[in-house]
Amino acid sequence: MTARIVLLVTSPRLPAGLLTSAGWDAVRSAPVLAGAESELTRAVRMAGADVSVVTEGATQALLDAAAAHGGAVWLAGPASDETLARELGLRLAREPGLAELELMYGSWDPPGARLLDAVEVMDRLASPGGDPWKRAQTHRSLAGFLLEECYEAYDAISADDTDALREELGDVLLQVLLHARLAENLPEGKSWTVDDVAGTLVDKMVRRNPHVFSGEPAGSIEEIEANWERIKRAEKTRDSVLDGIALSQPALSLAAKILDRAGRVGLAVPPPLAESQVDPEARLGASLLATVAAARQAGIDPEAALRRATLAYAEAIRAAERPTPTNPA
């Protein structure tokens, strides 16, 4: 019977020892070799398997073990030991009778596994010996960058550029990770971690979507939105319907948000009349607010409308800047 060599690949992002049943059968049925000591080699040893670390001549060591025992298992490292796999594959292609080579996945990356990589990279950057710039930042010094990255993601959405959106959302995520990492350095009792951020989000999503997680009837989209608002009000003790609105957002979108919040609870407070204002700035502000209110009544997003008109005007300016071709004499 031809000997069998198994290259056992596992996810470095999962706790060592979380192997499939086929993976455990493999390491218990043949000698196990690895290129270095690791949490996985220790876990496999604790389960009763024989593990040897081979620092040189791994290909020949595997062939020798397979010949002596009818099989051998190689515990691949975090990078899957591609060089060894290629060298072993070429050797067996030249001498196919030596052994059969099998690639086996003992565990897989779960969805979101690369988020763990991102957290690890950010921890290194913001730890001693990492990036001095990141270590010198504060939540306040980073605030403008967070806004800028969100605007760039918005631009990608407006342009229907999903590739750019993927990249820009990564930049937004970078800001989230950096803020969370810096928060670990806050005084005791005030510090928090990225897991606290994620945990708060998970709890909120479950709590505010009972039609998904608690078996409640879903109803219409309007009913789901109303239920979301009811749950949100119960969570947050607020004195006004306007509490919680981001006051730092652009004035046009701020006006639309305030009008929307008032409309949700049936508050019909008319905006100030431009004619009643005493100075030009107040009259202009009142006129703009009235325009926003009219847009809301018409179901138009005033921020998007102004952006569209402004970009069209910018294009007209660019066109006017282009030199006019002269007619040949």
Side-chain angles (χ1 to χ4, degrees):
M1 178 182 294
T2 304
R4 173 178 175 240
I5 296 177
V6 175
L7 296 182
L8 187 62
V9 178
T10 58
S11 169
R13 302 173 185 91
L14 293 178
L18 287 182
L19 299 179
T20 62
S21 58
W24 279 118
D25 288 343
V27 299
R28 287 170 174 153
S29 64
V32 180
L33 291 80
E37 291 288 355
S38 65
E39 291 295 327
L40 181 56
T41 60
R42 288 186 279 276
V44 171
R45 279 200 192 95
M46 289 179 64
D50 177 25
V51 182
S52 301
V53 174
V54 180
T55 57
E56 294 182 1
T59 296
Q60 191 58 51
L62 274 170
L63 291 171
D64 292 343
H69 301 276
V73 177
W74 181 263
L75 291 182
S80 301
D81 295 347
E82 294 180 1
T83 300
L84 170 66
R86 184 164 52 250
E87 182 180 323
L88 186 59
L90 291 173
R91 177 73 180 274
L92 293 179
R94 293 193 303 267
E95 302 177 70
L98 292 177
E100 292 179 348
L101 182 61
E102 177 182 350
L103 177 64
M104 179 183 293
Y105 287 91
S107 61
W108 295 268
D109 283 343
R114 296 312 302 270
L115 291 173
L116 299 177
D117 292 344
V119 171
E120 183 179 355
V121 168
M122 180 55 67
D123 181 64
R124 180 174 177 182
L125 288 170
S127 294
D131 178 14
W133 185 89
K134 290 181 176 59
R135 288 174 50 77
Q137 299 311 303
T138 65
H139 296 304
R140 188 175 293 276
S141 71
L142 291 170
F145 293 106
L146 179 58
L147 279 178
E148 181 180 353
E149 300 300 354
C150 289
Y151 284 139
E152 290 180 4
Y154 187 101
D155 286 345
I157 293 172
S158 299
D160 291 323
D161 190 339
T162 54
D163 288 336
L165 177 59
R166 180 186 66 243
E167 180 179 352
E168 298 303 341
L169 289 177
D171 291 340
V172 174
L173 177 60
L174 183 150
Q175 295 299 313
V176 174
L177 295 176
L178 183 51
H179 278 284
R181 180 60 183 83
L182 294 176
E184 294 183 33
N185 300 328
L186 293 174
E188 186 175 353
K190 294 185 177 181
S191 63
W192 39 270
T193 71
V194 69
D195 285 318
D196 296 318
V197 175
T200 300
L201 174 62
V202 169
D203 292 344
K204 183 187 297 185
M205 288 192 297
V206 171
R207 193 169 56 246
R208 294 188 185 179
N209 290 278
H211 57 289
V212 176
F213 297 102
S214 299
E216 292 189 10
S220 65
I221 297 297
E222 291 74 16
E223 290 171 334
I224 291 173
E225 290 177 344
N227 198 36
W228 175 283
E229 290 298 327
R230 178 186 61 77
I231 296 171
K232 187 175 179 180
R233 286 196 300 271
E235 292 173 357
K236 301 178 182 292
T237 303
R238 289 174 170 169
D239 298 325
S240 169
V241 68
L242 303 182
D243 290 347
I245 292 178
L247 301 180
S248 59
Q249 62 185 298
L252 190 65
S253 57
L254 175 62
K257 192 69 174 179
I258 289 175
L259 289 166
D260 180 65
R261 285 283 187 91
R264 288 186 194 181
V265 296
L267 287 175
V269 179
L273 296 175
E275 297 78 8
S276 65
Q277 304 305 307
V278 296
D279 62 83
E281 182 178 319
R283 284 195 294 274
L284 177 60
S287 177
L288 291 172
L289 183 57
T291 300
V292 174
R296 181 179 178 276
Q297 289 294 324
I300 297 172
D301 180 352
E303 181 79 20
L306 180 59
R307 179 179 298 273
R308 177 180 176 181
T310 302
L311 291 177
Y313 180 60
E315 187 57 38
I317 291 175
R318 290 190 181 94
E321 290 176 326
R322 298 184 190 112
T324 304
T326 56
N327 294 324

